[in-house]
Amino acid sequence: VMKPDGEYFRRVVPSPPPLEILQVEAIRTLLEQCPDLLPIACGGGGIPVSRIPSNPRTLTGVEAVIDKDCCGAKLANELDADAYIILTDGGGIWQNYGKPDAREMKLASPEYLLGTKAGKNFPGSMGPKIQAAIDFVHNSKREGAWAAIGDLRDASDIFGNDAGTIVREDVEEGVVWRQPKVVADSNPKQSKEQHKSG
């Protein structure tokens, strides 16, 4: 299938959800046996393959792309992770992003995000990240499992919920909004009146 992309055309392929991560045992072994190493997996979503039904041990390539966020959520669930963090270049989940009344979610439940269709206006960027966070929380076997979306520069602050958005099951009223940061005026105006003190 071809689709217009500006003055040119580009080939479009489906993006099915990942069903299995083939080398998950190798990743698990690295995490258990080499705690000082940080395995990098699911980059770009991985290479899409499919098992041949008549011979399930045989794999064949598939014309598709695997979404890296969904693949990361699948991996985090298979590794029984406590949390799944998606780092971006734009912060957490926002309502009215880019508008004067924009506000960032501090905490959100999967049900709230699904009910408000959060990220649906950004199907190529934030939408898949939000869906991956929801999928991780819903599919986790760990009690209290959470996912987070936030800016790469705020990675350490995300753990304390001082930046980004945490997605978890037990959020009262479904959402907690982050208070806007007050920016101090770097150039305060001087009063024309002389300072009076008592």
Side-chain angles (χ1 to χ4, degrees):
V1 175
M2 301 298 282
K3 186 176 181 181
D5 186 10
E7 62 180 275
Y8 302 101
F9 285 85
R10 64 183 170 103
R11 195 160 160 247
V12 179
V13 295
S15 180
L19 301 177
E20 178 184 4
I21 296 173
L22 298 178
Q23 287 100 7
V24 71
E25 289 308 316
I27 298 165
R28 188 185 322 277
T29 300
L30 278 172
L31 288 169
E32 291 170 355
Q33 303 298 319
C34 306
D36 295 338
L37 292 179
L38 177 63
I40 297 174
C42 298
I47 299 169
V49 295
S50 165
R51 293 190 183 279
I52 296 177
S54 61
N55 186 3
R57 299 182 80 187
T58 303
L59 302 173
T60 184
V62 177
E63 289 192 24
V65 294
I66 305 293
D67 179 78
K68 63 186 175 294
D69 301 310
C70 290
C71 194
K74 175 79 173 160
L75 177 63
N77 282 136
E78 289 195 17
L79 293 173
D80 199 25
D82 296 314
Y84 175 50
I85 300 175
I86 301 172
L87 298 174
T88 70
D89 61 357
I93 305 171
W94 290 77
Q95 181 184 52
N96 299 326
Y97 182 76
K99 297 180 180 168
D101 61 342
R103 56 185 182 163
E104 186 180 23
M105 297 176 196
K106 181 175 184 175
L107 298 167
S109 70
E111 291 71 28
Y112 179 85
L113 295 172
L114 289 169
T116 58
K117 299 180 179 171
K120 295 299 180 196
N121 292 335
F122 303 95
S125 56
M126 192 54 92
K129 291 171 179 23
I130 294 171
Q131 189 59 55
I134 292 168
D135 291 346
F136 171 75
V137 173
H138 273 166
N139 296 323
S140 179
K141 295 178 186 126
R142 286 194 175 261
E143 189 175 334
W146 54 275
I149 300 173
D151 196 292
L152 174 62
R153 294 168 294 196
D154 299 328
S156 61
D157 292 331
I158 291 170
F159 285 96
N161 200 209
D162 296 321
T165 304
I166 301 281
V167 179
R168 65 178 197 214
E169 291 288 356
D170 59 340
V171 178
E172 197 171 318
E173 298 183 24
V175 67
V176 175
W177 298 100
R178 189 168 299 288
Q179 293 299 316
K181 293 178 182 173
V182 178
V183 179
D185 189 353
S186 60
N187 189 13
K189 295 184 175 110
Q190 295 290 328
S191 172
K192 293 183 180 178
E193 291 183 19
Q194 194 168 0
H195 179 68
K196 299 175 187 172
S197 62

